[in-house]
Amino acid sequence: MRRAVCWSRAHPTGPDVVIAVVVLVFMLVTAVAHPRGGRGFTTPIDVQPPGALSLTLMALAAAALVLRRHRPRSVLLATGCLTVVELVAGRPDSPIVFTVVVALFTLAAHTDRPTTWRVGLLTMAVLTGVAMAFGTGPWYTQQNLGVFAWTGMAAAAGDAVRSRRAFIDAMRERAERAERTREEEARRRVAEERLRIARDLHDVVAHHIALVNVQAGVAAHVMDKRPDQAKEALAHVRDASRSAIDELRATVGLLRQSGDPEAPTEPAPGLAQLDALVDTFRSAGLPVECLVPEEPPRLPSAVGLAAYRIVQEALTNVRKHAGAGARAEVSVVRAGTGIEVTVLDGGGTGQRESAQGGGHGLLGMRERVAALGGSLVAEPRYGGGFRVQAILPGEPPRRQGKHA
């Protein structure tokens, strides 16, 4: 079945050719074999070869069916005219009418209902009228009524197929629209929630930090002359900072799920923890050479955390994607006031993330480095392996904007 579908897609006119051949064979068998009466399988059959005109008309009508889906109106007109010629020629039992049935069904399945019924009624009236007028028997013979019935059923069947196809397309479009609407609504709600949380965090931080700044300035100013007032100002600083922490904890708590761990109480990791990080990968079977200054440079916590996460993610990618025989080199050197972090993958048998697209790991690295105003290079190495190199400034960029 799958091969047939693939073949029909590769050859758009192939199914039409097959149908045309089947209809031609059916017409030839019907035109040659004529039962003499009786019932059952023992009915005697007379064999009467059709004339040259009938053969020519049947061949032309079957050939026209090859274009039935590309030009349905023209094919219906052509098969109808050929049928009229055959009926006028004196063969009321001519099988050419079956080509009209196929053409009318195709037209009804690919057009609208008003057109289907107008064309269908016109075809039924013309063919039935010609059969009754030029037939050798009475107008109510079985052959004449068969022309009327077959053309009517073809129009009705084609209209039913078109209606079902339209219903399925409408349902599919409705489902896709509902999915798009659901996604858009989810994105809108996420954006609104982010805006609300950002507004809350801004209000908390702006208010309490401003208060802490003012009280700290007062304490520094009166520390020598009025220690009591300085102590009171420091008490205000402590209360304001405690209130800020409580409100921040409450705000951030809204973002946590029921199974999330509690907030960590230890400092964020940095360059000082690189040796412990590398040891975990070594214990997992990944050979790692680490070149880090004995005394790591003093950097802001955000820069140290970014360096730590970049090394962690890069080594994780080596462990996951490099395969057997993988090894890695980690180096951290000074670069002006900042640092340069390099992780080299010595190569292996596995597949790695693309430097252009990559996975979420490379995307996360780029976002971290961009947030600090640095640069990141993640690309395959010549001869095999992968290189991740990040240059991080000594000071994160100051954000431009209005003061709170």
Side-chain angles (χ1 to χ4, degrees):
M1 183 64 182
R2 182 177 300 177
R3 291 183 179 179
V5 173
C6 295
W7 179 81
S8 63
R9 291 179 178 177
H11 305 82
T13 59
D16 297 328
V17 173
V18 173
I19 291 176
V21 171
V22 171
V23 172
L24 178 60
V25 172
F26 177 79
M27 289 190 298
L28 290 174
V29 173
T30 306
V32 170
H34 299 277
R36 264 189 303 172
R39 298 181 180 179
F41 295 101
T42 60
T43 302
I45 297 177
D46 291 335
V47 178
Q48 298 178 3
L53 178 61
S54 296
L55 290 175
T56 303
L57 294 177
M58 285 187 287
L60 292 176
L65 293 181
V66 176
L67 303 175
R68 66 186 185 90
R69 287 189 296 177
H70 302 283
R71 305 177 67 88
R73 295 174 184 267
S74 300
V75 171
L76 178 61
L77 178 61
T79 55
C81 292
L82 294 173
T83 303
V84 169
V85 171
E86 182 69 8
L87 292 173
V88 172
R91 289 291 304 273
D93 55 345
S94 173
I96 298 181
V97 70
F98 288 110
T99 60
V100 179
V101 171
V102 176
L104 184 58
F105 171 84
T106 304
L107 177 65
H110 293 83
T111 187
D112 56 279
R113 178 166 294 174
T115 302
T116 297
W117 289 114
R118 284 198 300 267
V119 175
L121 291 175
L122 178 62
T123 303
M124 293 166 58
V126 171
L127 294 184
T128 305
V130 172
M132 292 179 178
F134 293 91
T136 56
W139 64 269
Y140 52 83
T141 58
Q142 183 178 358
Q143 289 81 4
N144 298 340
L145 297 179
V147 171
F148 179 85
W150 278 104
T151 52
M153 285 190 296
D159 183 71
V161 170
R162 180 198 55 78
S163 299
R164 179 169 177 78
R165 187 185 298 123
F167 175 76
I168 294 175
D169 293 341
M171 293 296 294
R172 185 182 296 111
E173 182 183 359
R174 186 179 305 172
E176 293 176 354
R177 189 187 307 114
E179 185 66 21
R180 289 195 301 268
T181 304
R182 189 181 302 111
E183 293 177 356
E184 292 174 358
E185 180 67 16
R187 286 194 294 266
R188 185 185 65 81
R189 291 185 179 182
V190 168
E192 291 180 354
E193 187 65 14
R194 286 179 177 175
L195 180 61
R196 187 188 66 80
I197 293 174
R199 189 184 300 114
D200 292 343
L201 290 176
H202 176 270
D203 294 342
V204 171
V205 173
H207 172 70
H208 291 289
I209 296 302
L211 182 59
V212 167
N213 184 46
V214 172
Q215 295 297 335
V218 172
H221 182 70
V222 300
M223 179 66 71
D224 297 331
K225 297 180 180 180
R226 290 181 252 178
D228 294 338
Q229 188 174 355
K231 291 180 180 180
E232 183 179 355
L234 292 176
H236 287 303
V237 170
R238 181 184 59 193
D239 295 338
S241 60
R242 184 184 295 113
S243 298
I245 292 174
D246 293 339
E247 293 189 28
L248 286 175
R249 182 181 295 113
T251 303
V252 175
L254 296 175
L255 304 178
R256 293 185 178 274
Q257 303 293 332
S258 58
D260 290 345
E262 296 293 333
T265 57
E266 59 185 15
L271 295 179
Q273 288 77 28
L274 277 184
D275 290 336
L277 174 65
V278 170
D279 288 339
T280 60
F281 285 92
R282 287 171 179 166
S283 62
L286 177 64
V288 182
E289 296 182 12
C290 187
L291 301 176
V292 182
E294 295 182 359
E295 294 184 2
R298 293 185 177 181
L299 299 169
S301 58
V303 178
L305 176 61
Y308 181 90
R309 296 302 185 195
I310 289 172
V311 174
Q312 183 183 40
E313 184 61 33
L315 291 179
T316 301
N317 286 339
V318 175
R319 187 76 180 89
K320 289 170 55 179
H321 302 292
R327 62 186 184 278
E329 299 177 10
V330 179
S331 65
V332 179
V333 297
R334 293 181 180 273
T337 59
I339 58 172
E340 177 181 315
V341 180
T342 305
V343 180
L344 299 178
D345 169 9
T349 60
Q351 300 293 329
R352 294 162 181 79
E353 293 174 296
S354 170
Q356 297 297 328
H360 297 289
L362 292 181
L363 180 60
M365 290 184 198
R366 290 191 176 93
E367 290 180 349
R368 284 183 181 275
V369 174
L372 296 174
S375 60
L376 176 73
V377 176
E379 61 184 6
R381 298 174 61 192
Y382 180 77
F386 206 81
R387 177 172 71 101
V388 175
Q389 185 178 40
I391 299 178
L392 302 175
E395 289 289 340
R398 297 182 179 273
R399 297 184 179 275
Q400 301 296 329
K402 297 181 180 180
H403 295 286

